[in-house]
Amino acid sequence: MIVKNLDEVIGSEDHVKGETWESRRIILKDAGMGFSVHDTIIYEGTESMFWYKYHQEAVYCIEGEGEIEDLGTGKIHPIKPGTLYALVGHEKHLLRATKGNMRMVCVFNPPCTGKETHDEEGAYALPKEEANL
Ligand code: 9YT
């Protein structure tokens, strides 16, 4: 059994920060679970482009509000606490936090190793100044 608290991840090497987000990676591949679990914060007023070419991801919002734009279809879906989106088709997407920081619990299959760089992970963030809000 693994029992961990977010407090143990904050400030550790599994606490990673980007321009528009930060992520606390609670469970990674080395745990042997077949998925990874992340507690991610998307900063208010930002827009981030993510594309997980090699992973499927489910994301459950627990704080803040915003929206996700599917760059394949152009469809925009609102996000608030209790909303889950699942990228079953590796959809390239834009994530915008419009009301407060959005706090998202994310699960990846296959699990992230924690060694991914943005490019390998297919995640690219637009700088805050270019956020279209
Ligand atoms: C919202 C979202 O896609 N978060 C993913 C976690 C992040 N890419 C990480 O842990 O690096």
Side-chain angles (χ1 to χ4, degrees):
M1 184 186 295
I2 299 166
V3 180
K4 271 176 104 168
N5 190 282
L6 184 60
D7 289 344
E8 297 166 52
V9 180
I10 289 172
S12 76
E13 63 174 2
D14 295 332
H15 183 179
V16 294
K17 296 180 185 183
E19 189 83 25
T20 58
W21 56 272
E22 62 187 86
S23 188
R24 290 78 61 95
R25 297 165 169 169
I26 304 168
I27 293 285
L28 287 165
K29 186 179 181 196
D30 62 358
M33 297 292 290
F35 54 82
S36 57
V37 180
H38 311 228
D39 181 329
T40 300
I41 295 169
I42 308 290
Y43 302 142
E44 180 178 26
T46 64
E47 178 180 74
S48 308
M49 185 168 79
F50 294 117
W51 186 23
Y52 301 111
K53 289 183 267 189
Y54 311 112
H55 302 78
Q56 288 178 318
E57 185 196 24
V59 179
Y60 184 66
C61 177
I62 56 171
E63 288 174 19
E65 291 181 26
E67 61 187 25
I68 179 170
E69 178 173 345
D70 181 334
L71 287 171
T73 63
K75 192 149 196 260
I76 295 175
H77 307 267
I79 297 172
K80 63 180 184 180
T83 304
L84 178 139
Y85 63 83
L87 303 169
V88 294
H90 307 277
E91 293 90 342
K92 188 186 241 184
H93 57 284
L94 288 173
L95 207 49
R96 303 185 185 98
T98 54
K99 199 168 163 193
N101 289 338
M102 276 200 300
R103 186 168 167 210
M104 328 283 272
V105 177
C106 317
V107 175
F108 281 87
N109 170 32
C112 292
T113 62
K115 303 282 183 276
E116 291 86 356
T117 66
H118 290 203
D119 282 354
E120 282 164 1
E121 199 175 33
Y124 308 93
L126 296 176
K128 214 168 190 168
E129 307 77 68
E130 290 176 28
N132 183 27
L133 293 165

